[in-house]
Amino acid sequence: MDFAGKVALITGASSGIGAATAETFAKYGANLALVGRNVNKLNETENKCKQINSNINCLSVVADVTTDSEKILNACIGKFQRLDVLVNNAGILAGGSLMDIDLEQFDNVLNTNLRAVFSITKLSLPYLINAQGNIVNVSSVAGQRSFPDTFSYCISKAALDQFTKCLSLDLASKNVRVNSVNPGVVITDIHKTCLAMSEKDYAEYLEICKGTHAMGRVGNAFEVAETIAFLASGQASFITGALLPVDGGRHAMCPR
């Protein structure tokens, strides 16, 4: 997987799967446009990428994907004059059933997990078409399977999966591929930042999750990042419209 000379734009690159994806693309030689809201963590990601590969160029863009799509694209194209890979990774998690949540929560989750993807992808299309590039969306097992008390999140990821499939058909004739990864539970900070889980609660949650994944464990961010890099690479040149589980078999399981 060689991305030398290519440009990858990664949203949510300041932590978790996004940061791991940035480091993975750096390893494979891509120039990087890194997007996040936390300037310190974003700088940490950029520094790690440069340590991994001193030959690449990096651009950090401190921005909110829900409001700053034009800023993000303008910065990327202004720096690199091209875009080969768009990784729509930025997302948020929220709990609660329809009886518990309000419209504000639903809007916040859909704005981040779906509307922002629509916006930045639409702005990126001319450059991706010109470069014969591709898009990888970071969805979830929750896009394909239903879970209680995560109503807004499940809805947003199911819609994102349909976005991936529909867009893949629209862009196939232009030789632009569109795919998704659908992770299961992966060790990141999202449960602590979005659901305010304590370290103790999160450790207990991860222990429970060993039993909800067929392989008996949860995943790590680099397992997802390597899959993203594969889908974005020439090795996956005949794959489009795919929703690829990276979930230790969780999507195949049924409660008994």
Side-chain angles (χ1 to χ4, degrees):
M1 293 191 287
D2 183 7
F3 291 92
K6 295 187 176 182
V7 176
L9 191 161
I10 303 165
T11 66
S14 56
S15 62
I17 291 171
T21 301
E23 292 180 40
T24 301
F25 273 88
K27 178 177 68 174
Y28 294 128
N31 296 313
L32 300 170
L34 308 174
V35 182
R37 292 181 296 178
N38 187 313
V39 62
N40 292 328
K41 288 188 175 181
L42 198 60
N43 287 337
E44 287 179 15
T45 300
E46 180 177 344
N47 290 334
K48 285 182 181 178
C49 291
K50 289 177 178 177
Q51 290 170 10
I52 291 167
N53 190 338
S54 60
N55 295 319
I56 65 170
N57 291 312
C58 291
L59 170 70
S60 290
V61 184
V62 180
D64 185 333
V65 292
T66 64
T67 57
D68 297 330
S69 292
E70 289 189 9
K71 172 185 174 180
I72 292 165
L73 258 294
N74 288 341
C76 177
I77 300 305
K79 170 75 172 179
F80 298 112
Q81 289 78 54
R82 66 179 295 153
L83 178 60
D84 299 274
V85 180
L86 172 62
V87 180
N88 285 308
N89 166 73
I92 58 174
L93 175 63
S97 70
L98 183 60
M99 290 79 77
D100 305 320
I101 67 173
D102 54 23
L103 189 60
E104 182 180 8
Q105 188 216 81
F106 187 76
D107 284 345
N108 286 341
V109 174
L110 269 291
N111 281 342
T112 303
N113 294 0
L114 183 65
R115 188 179 185 277
V117 174
F118 173 97
S119 179
I120 198 164
T121 301
K122 185 172 179 63
L123 291 172
S124 300
L125 287 183
Y127 306 101
L128 292 169
I129 291 169
N130 185 62
Q132 304 269 277
N134 67 88
I135 301 163
V136 183
N137 297 317
V138 179
S139 183
S140 168
V141 65
Q144 299 292 297
R145 296 291 182 268
S146 303
F147 299 96
D149 296 319
T150 50
F151 185 85
S152 299
Y153 183 76
C154 289
I155 295 295
S156 72
K157 293 302 186 179
L160 181 60
D161 284 347
Q162 194 64 251
F163 178 95
T164 294
K165 292 189 286 186
C166 290
L167 187 59
S168 73
L169 299 182
D170 291 340
L171 296 180
S173 64
K174 302 182 186 302
N175 203 32
V176 173
R177 299 181 298 107
V178 188
N179 294 291
S180 285
V181 291
N182 291 62
V185 174
V186 174
I187 298 173
T188 68
D189 288 335
I190 193 169
H191 289 86
K192 289 180 276 189
T193 56
C194 292
L195 299 182
M197 276 191 182
S198 67
E199 291 287 349
K200 179 177 179 293
D201 289 342
Y202 188 55
E204 291 175 353
Y205 171 72
L206 293 180
E207 191 64 27
I208 291 169
C209 286
K210 290 180 180 179
T212 63
H213 294 67
M215 293 183 71
R217 67 175 178 88
V218 298
N220 70 71
F222 285 96
E223 291 175 307
V224 182
E226 290 285 355
T227 309
I228 292 169
F230 164 71
L231 287 174
S233 76
Q235 303 284 1
S237 58
F238 202 48
I239 300 175
T240 196
L243 312 175
L244 184 55
V246 190
D247 67 354
R250 187 174 190 181
H251 71 282
M253 296 178 68
C254 295
R256 298 178 63 185

